[in-house]
């Protein structure tokens, strides 16, 4: 009996050591792949698509939305089309949040709302000219609209019908709205505001809370705000992250803050930049910027910086590759050129830099090591770096 017990213990110890060894191997393998650099790729799957009047792609639930001036399609990771909806827009802009999406015709009057299961669930023709739209996790939409004398924040239900929540702003008064984003629960809006100060255009961030408005929102729902940069600047983007965190992009840099029911809470953080910000991209967890490097070394005139939702800089790297558009997805930064792609991981590794054999519009990171969707006007390719 004692010998059986010793034998069982030995077997268990052996299994434990095997498990530890396997875990260590997997960790080392992950670290290896996380630091390895690639310049080539293998195509796992390819689908040819009609080019049409393609505008772009946006990650959405189990796949992505392909949208153009003529309509939108929801496509799975296996290249199956779940649904398609047609429209006519001159300059469609998109916002996605959870299982809902909104597409608005910038400088036009058309607005359409979609959900994952049904496709189009609502639409509206606005009285004023649209600039942008933001959607909540429940499908409520807030738009930035304008007419000849003022800018407006307007709310809509997910079926496209108008809600009695409107805020009006005049440049000659408190300012003019330049950007907005809607909170996940649809009760708050953060907005960038341009206003005149000493004859120069300055920028501030304000918060409106409609949770106690009883269905009617007015200027008195404003919960204050902050002026992150003194002097001349303009707030070009605002975005909620998760759990009430948010950021704003100014022509002077980035501002990160926490939003509560009473407005912007103390402790907001600035990332002021003296260099020229070439591009900005963000998702619901990260924001990335590319700057002209003031003191370029090793013939690398550009610098990419990645920030998390708390305003911490989690990555920076210098590079020399030229690009025309930038995206961030799951902490990975994509810099897309006319016939090339550069990929930076969150740890600062330039994972891929090389030529692409078709014009790219967007790249999306997939689960698993080194797998991506490369999305173009004529082709959609699932690739593995090699």
């Amino acid at each position: 009996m004692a010998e059986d017990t010793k034998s069982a213990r030995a077997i268990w110890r052996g299994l434990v050591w095997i498990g530890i060894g396997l875990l260590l191997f997997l960790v080392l393998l992950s670290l290896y792949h996380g630091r390895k650099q690639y310049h080539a790729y293998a195509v796992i799957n390819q689908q040819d698509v009609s080019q049409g009047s393609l505008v772009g792609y946006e990650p959405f639930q189990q796949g992505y939305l392909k949208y153009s001036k003529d309509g939108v399609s929801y496509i799975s990771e296996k290249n199956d089309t779940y649904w398609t909806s047609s429209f006519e827009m001159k300059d469609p802009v998109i916002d996605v949040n959870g299982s809902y999406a909104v597409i608005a015709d910038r400088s036009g009057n058309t607005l359409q709302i979609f959900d994952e299961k049904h496709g189009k669930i609502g639409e509206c023709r606005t009285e004023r000219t649209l600039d942008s739209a933001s959607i909540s996790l429940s499908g409520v939409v807030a738009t930035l609209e304008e007419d000849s004398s003022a800018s407006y924040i307007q709310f809509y239900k997910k079926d496209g019908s108008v809600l009695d929540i409107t805020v009006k702003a005049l440049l000659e008064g408190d300012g003019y709205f330049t950007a907005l984003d809607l909170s996940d629960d649809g009760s708050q809006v953060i907005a960038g505001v341009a206003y005149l100060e000493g004859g120069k255009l300055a920028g501030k961030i304000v918060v409106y809370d409609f949770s106690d408005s009883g269905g009617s929102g007015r200027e008195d729902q404003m919960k204050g705000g902050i002026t992150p940069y003194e002097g001349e600047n303009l707030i070009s983007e605002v975005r909620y992250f998760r759990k009430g965190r948010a950021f704003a992009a100014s022509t002077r840099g980035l501002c990160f803050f926490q939003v509560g029911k009473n407005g912007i809470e103390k402790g907001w953080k600035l990332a002021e930049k003296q260099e020229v910000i070439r591009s900005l991209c963000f998702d619901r967890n990260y924001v990335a910027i590319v700057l002209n490097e003031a003191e370029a070394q090793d013939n690398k005139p550009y610098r990419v910086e990645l920030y998390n939702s708390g305003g911490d800089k989690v990555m920076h790297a210098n590079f020399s590759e030229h690009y025309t558009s930038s995206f961030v997805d799951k902490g990975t930064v994509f810099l897309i050129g006319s016939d090339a792609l550069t990929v930076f991981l969150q740890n600062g590794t330039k994972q891929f830099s090389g030529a692409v054999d078709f014009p790219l519009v967007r790249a999306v990171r997939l689960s698993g090591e080194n797998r991506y969707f490369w999305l173009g006007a004529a082709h959609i390719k699932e690739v593995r770096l090699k």
Side-chain angles (χ1 to χ4, degrees):
M1 181 68 68
E3 291 181 358
D4 291 341
T5 302
K6 290 180 179 180
S7 177
R9 288 177 178 174
I11 292 173
W12 275 110
R13 281 196 297 269
L15 292 174
V16 169
W17 281 110
I18 291 173
I20 292 174
L22 180 60
L23 180 61
L24 181 60
F25 170 77
L26 293 175
V27 170
L28 291 175
L29 184 65
S30 177
L31 290 174
Y32 168 75
H33 283 294
R35 295 290 180 181
K36 187 177 179 180
Q37 298 184 24
Y38 301 85
H39 300 281
Y41 61 92
V43 177
I44 301 172
N45 187 27
Q46 176 176 327
Q47 179 183 3
D48 297 331
V49 295
S50 59
Q51 183 168 348
S53 54
L54 179 69
V55 174
Y57 294 87
E58 190 70 22
F60 184 63
Q61 293 297 87
Q62 304 303 313
Y64 46 89
L65 297 175
K66 177 189 175 187
Y67 64 104
S68 69
K69 296 180 181 180
D70 306 313
V72 58
S73 296
Y74 177 27
I75 304 172
S76 75
E77 289 190 357
K78 296 182 179 180
N79 290 328
D80 298 321
T81 299
Y82 291 125
W83 48 256
T84 296
S85 183
S86 299
F87 53 67
E88 291 185 7
M89 297 187 186
K90 293 182 178 179
D91 186 13
V93 291
I94 191 169
D95 187 50
V96 166
N97 200 349
S99 61
Y100 290 94
V102 59
I103 300 180
D105 191 6
R106 184 164 46 197
S107 300
N109 304 94
T110 305
L111 178 78
Q112 292 196 359
I113 303 165
F114 308 86
D115 76 2
E116 179 186 10
K117 293 183 178 181
H118 307 97
K120 187 176 74 173
I121 58 173
E123 62 181 320
C124 177
R125 185 165 183 83
T126 62
E127 296 181 0
R128 297 176 289 264
T129 302
L130 285 162
D131 180 81
S132 62
S134 176
I135 195 163
S136 72
L137 281 173
S138 62
V140 172
V141 172
T143 59
L144 188 57
E145 304 176 9
E146 60 183 20
D147 59 22
S148 59
S149 61
S151 63
Y152 304 80
I153 296 173
Q154 179 66 59
F155 278 69
Y156 298 88
K157 298 178 183 178
K158 62 183 179 181
D159 64 0
S161 57
V162 180
L163 279 167
D164 185 23
I165 302 178
T166 307
V167 182
K168 181 179 180 180
L170 294 168
L171 184 58
E172 294 80 4
D174 293 330
Y176 198 87
F177 295 125
T178 58
L180 94 161
D181 196 36
L182 183 61
S183 64
D184 283 347
D185 65 2
S187 67
Q188 281 186 337
V189 165
I190 49 175
V193 178
Y195 64 99
L196 292 173
E197 184 177 60
K200 294 183 178 181
L201 205 58
K204 62 182 177 181
I205 308 160
V206 297
V207 176
Y208 292 91
D209 189 291
F210 305 104
S211 56
D212 297 327
S213 64
S216 178
R218 296 293 184 266
E219 288 84 341
D220 58 5
Q221 301 300 323
M222 190 174 74
K223 301 299 180 181
I226 57 174
T227 303
Y229 297 101
E230 298 294 334
E232 189 172 5
N233 76 99
L234 188 68
I235 305 299
S236 59
E237 293 282 359
V238 291
R239 168 67 78 173
Y240 276 98
F241 294 119
R242 300 304 183 193
K243 299 180 180 179
R245 290 182 173 181
F247 93 95
S250 163
T251 49
R252 298 263 295 277
L254 303 178
C255 178
F256 297 86
F257 48 94
Q258 184 77 31
V259 184
K261 189 173 181 180
N262 295 318
I264 297 175
E265 299 176 351
K266 294 181 179 180
W268 43 279
K269 185 185 299 184
L270 291 179
E272 186 167 9
K273 300 298 173 185
Q274 301 300 322
E275 310 95 326
V276 175
I277 298 178
R278 291 174 51 88
S279 61
L280 166 80
C281 54
F282 50 87
D283 61 10
R284 296 285 174 178
N285 299 290
Y286 295 95
V287 55
I289 55 175
V290 177
L291 308 112
N292 288 334
E293 180 58 84
E295 299 179 0
Q297 298 179 356
D298 301 325
N299 196 29
K300 296 179 179 180
Y302 313 120
R303 184 172 79 253
V304 58
E305 296 182 352
L306 181 69
Y307 294 82
N308 63 19
S309 60
D312 301 314
K313 184 164 65 176
V314 297
M315 182 270 283
H316 70 275
N318 290 75
F319 66 97
S320 59
E321 290 84 351
H322 294 287
Y323 72 100
T324 55
S325 59
S326 62
F327 301 94
V328 60
D329 180 44
K330 304 179 181 69
T332 301
V333 181
F334 301 94
L335 305 171
I336 297 175
S338 59
D339 58 355
L341 174 67
T342 304
V343 180
F344 281 99
L345 300 181
Q346 188 177 332
N347 61 16
T349 298
K350 186 193 293 184
Q351 188 189 41
F352 179 82
S353 178
V356 178
D357 62 355
F358 69 109
L360 277 182
V361 176
R362 186 76 185 256
V364 178
R365 188 173 182 178
L366 301 175
S367 58
E369 294 291 346
N370 313 323
R371 291 177 58 245
Y372 294 91
F373 265 139
W374 289 358
L375 310 168
H379 308 289
I380 297 173
K381 296 185 179 184
E382 180 185 351
V383 305
R384 185 184 299 276
L385 305 183
K386 66 175 186 178

